[in-house]
Amino acid sequence: MNLKGKLILALIILSAPFFTFSESNNYQSLLDKAEYSRTKSPQQTLEIIHKIEAVYSSLTEHQKQQFLFIKAYSLGFQGKQEEAIKIALEIHSSRYSDIAIKANLLLATVYEHRKDFKNAYSFIFEALKLGKDIHNEPIQVSLYTVAAQLYLSAGIYDNALISSSTLLSISKTPRGYCIGNVLKLNALIKLNKAYQQPLADEAYQACVNANEPLMKHSVSIFTADADVFVAPEKVMFAMQNALPELERIGYRYTILQAKYYLGYALLNLNELDDAVGTLEQVYSGSIALNDYLTANKAVLLLAQLHEKQGDIVAAAQAYKQHIAALNAYIDEYKQRSVAYYLAQADFMESENKLALLQSQNDLLQLESKLQRDEKVRTGLISVALLTLLLLVIYVLNSKRVALNRLATTDFLTRLFNRRYFSETVSRQLQNRRQQEQHSLVVFDIDLFKQINDQYGHATGDKVLQAIAQRCQQHIRKQDILARIGGEEFALFLPGCDLQHAEHIAELCRNSIAATPVQLDKLQVTVSASFGIASSSSADFDKLLQQADAALYRAKAAGRNCVEVAHSNGQAGDV
């Protein structure tokens, strides 16, 4: 599961009770009851909040802060995020460790939903730091649960697996066992693109035993990602069974995920009319939630569906929407990744400062023992401080170099990324002589979704890497090759006229199509379609628009071909 709508899921994850009911203290009993019923009965929690507000001044200091956390949580659950953040910020530095950790987890969850990734990861790292010395099981369960969820969102699946496994090792309640198994299943599916049925059955049964219907149906949604292509009928029945209860629960994101896999299964079962309506609901709903990943996947299926129906106009429109949603998701993913590593670097810097202060304290103690040997004392202090300073500088510089590489390079193919490509090419076009010819080639892999579905995303990733390597063999040193979308590439050819651009594009196309990609014992046949635009005066956006139009013509012409956009904007066959 990823992004948007996970606010509700993460808030549910935070809802484990942190206190036992106390019959001797009526106020404490009400607070505990409100905290226990946050997701099971939100209306009951609201009623208790109103009762406690009337006697707020009579609460102890800890009770007041517990009440503020419950109120902030309730506001977040209602979608009043600004008010929730304002209250949580008042208590996130509380001297009570349980309150501070819960407030930081709530802030991390709400900020992640708002796509303020820098704050989200800063608060989760702060919660992890505060939780290092906490031995309270319910707090540990919530801490590792939210950490695993945010690691999954950031694509750090190894860390998510570690956090979910830690969660299972400390959980003693049915609820913790349910959540731990579901998160572990999700992490393993993300890592391996497959799952073991006994683990899925165990997770499902654990959530049935814990009376957690949302988490129970999440198991079916996670496994659908691996089953929908090979067992579409199974997925269809599972989603049809889950949707009535999900509709009653009312969590929009989970409903959209279930409908997405229902539409995907209907498409694979060739029930096209039902699939169209379902996937259109998913696309519009995902756009409303700013869930670009789900929107991208849904509209790509719609494009393939329209192709099956022979509606080329609708298919072309859907492909354009797919590219827009994909680009939005890639930008968001890069922002999320950079924010994660920046927060991690800040956390490491903070930890290094603490280590430096501790070392300085140790050195001061050493100074008192070595007063009779001033030279030895001074030398020890200088060497220790210099070593620590060099260590801090080394760690921070290493992180900055890695972040700069991340900001300009596509992590999979090691080509330039879209942002670097567009900024660099725009700058070069502005600085070039007026009459100098330059060309832009845009190409993408034909039917790449089928490769992913048939062989798995790991094979798809290796195909992308192979395509990048083949095309690099045919370009000049001054040319700029980038991956600008999921399976879409762009090549800028400075000082290159249309004829030479066509020649280079044909070399690349033939290199891709002539030889299957060899992956161990598997051979994957691949082809690509190319669009070319050339000009001596056009700006980047106009040149890209012309090349894109030519690419769409290449797709419509049967794929595995090159088309050019002439000066009048029309494309012609090559």
Side-chain angles (χ1 to χ4, degrees), residues 220-221 224-225 227-229 231-243 254-283 286 294 297-306 308-309 449 453:
S220 300
I221 290 172
D225 193 50
D227 290 339
V228 69
F229 193 77
E233 191 169 14
K234 172 185 173 183
V235 172
M236 180 185 70
F237 287 133
M239 296 304 102
Q240 288 174 339
N241 179 61
L243 274 167
T254 312
I255 292 170
L256 285 175
Q257 292 297 300
K259 287 186 176 180
Y260 166 74
Y261 286 111
L262 174 59
Y264 198 166
L266 290 169
L267 173 60
N268 288 338
L269 293 168
N270 213 34
E271 297 184 20
L272 303 187
D273 291 338
D274 290 338
V276 168
T278 303
L279 292 171
E280 285 178 344
Q281 288 180 27
V282 175
Y283 175 69
S286 300
T294 303
K297 295 192 298 183
V299 79
L300 181 58
L301 291 180
L302 280 169
Q304 295 171 351
L305 193 154
H306 290 315
K308 275 191 173 184
Q309 294 177 322
K449 185 68 168 59
D453 290 341

Side-chain angles (χ1 to χ4, degrees), residues 73-128:
Y73 176 94
S74 180
L75 289 168
F77 195 91
Q78 298 171 57
K80 300 176 181 178
Q81 297 174 21
E82 290 290 348
E83 298 174 57
I85 289 171
K86 183 178 179 180
I87 295 175
L89 286 174
E90 295 177 14
I91 56 175
H92 87 285
S93 297
S94 171
R95 66 188 181 92
Y96 301 107
S97 57
D98 60 320
I99 299 294
I101 291 172
K102 290 190 292 183
N104 276 283
L105 291 176
L106 178 59
L107 287 165
T109 299
V110 175
Y111 275 121
E112 197 272 345
H113 176 68
R114 292 163 63 90
K115 299 186 181 179
D116 185 346
F117 303 123
K118 184 177 185 301
N119 272 320
Y121 294 122
S122 295
F123 283 114
I124 191 61
F125 278 122
E126 181 65 22
L128 288 168

Side-chain angles (χ1 to χ4, degrees), residues 333-468:
Y333 182 83
K334 287 188 291 188
Q335 292 172 24
R336 182 187 292 276
S337 298
V338 171
Y340 172 81
Y341 288 109
L342 282 173
Q344 186 183 57
D346 290 342
F347 175 72
M348 292 178 64
E349 182 178 9
S350 173
E351 293 291 283
N352 287 333
K353 285 180 179 179
L354 290 174
L356 181 60
L357 290 173
Q358 182 60 47
S359 297
Q360 289 173 334
N361 182 57
D362 293 342
L363 289 171
L364 288 173
Q365 294 180 18
L366 181 62
E367 180 183 1
S368 66
K369 297 178 182 180
L370 301 176
Q371 288 180 353
R372 288 174 296 180
D373 194 344
E374 184 68 21
K375 291 183 180 180
V376 174
R377 180 184 67 81
T378 304
L380 286 172
I381 293 174
S382 299
V383 170
L385 288 175
L386 180 60
T387 301
L388 286 168
L389 180 61
L390 290 175
L391 176 62
V392 172
I393 292 173
Y394 172 77
V395 170
L396 294 179
N397 283 343
S398 297
K399 284 295 178 184
R400 289 191 176 94
V401 169
L403 289 172
N404 183 62
R405 188 183 303 114
L406 178 67
T408 61
T409 307
D410 172 55
F411 67 94
L412 179 64
T413 61
R414 302 302 178 190
L415 301 178
F416 292 118
N417 60 26
R418 183 184 186 94
R419 178 174 296 174
Y420 176 85
F421 181 79
S422 60
E423 291 175 355
T424 303
V425 173
S426 295
R427 189 165 52 251
Q428 287 199 26
L429 289 174
Q430 292 171 3
N431 294 336
R432 295 200 163 271
R433 296 189 302 272
Q434 185 69 15
Q435 298 304 317
E436 188 175 22
Q437 193 81 0
H438 39 261
S439 298
L440 179 65
V441 181
V442 177
F443 62 99
D444 70 15
I445 303 172
D446 296 328
L447 303 176
F448 184 68
K449 185 68 168 59
Q450 293 184 8
I451 295 174
N452 276 336
D453 290 341
Q454 184 173 357
Y455 302 109
H457 290 277
T459 297
D461 290 347
K462 291 178 181 178
V463 168
L464 291 171
Q465 293 169 339
I467 297 304

Side-chain angles (χ1 to χ4, degrees), residues 128-136:
L128 288 168
K129 182 171 70 174
L130 293 170
K132 286 191 300 185
D133 301 321
I134 292 293
H135 301 292
N136 180 296

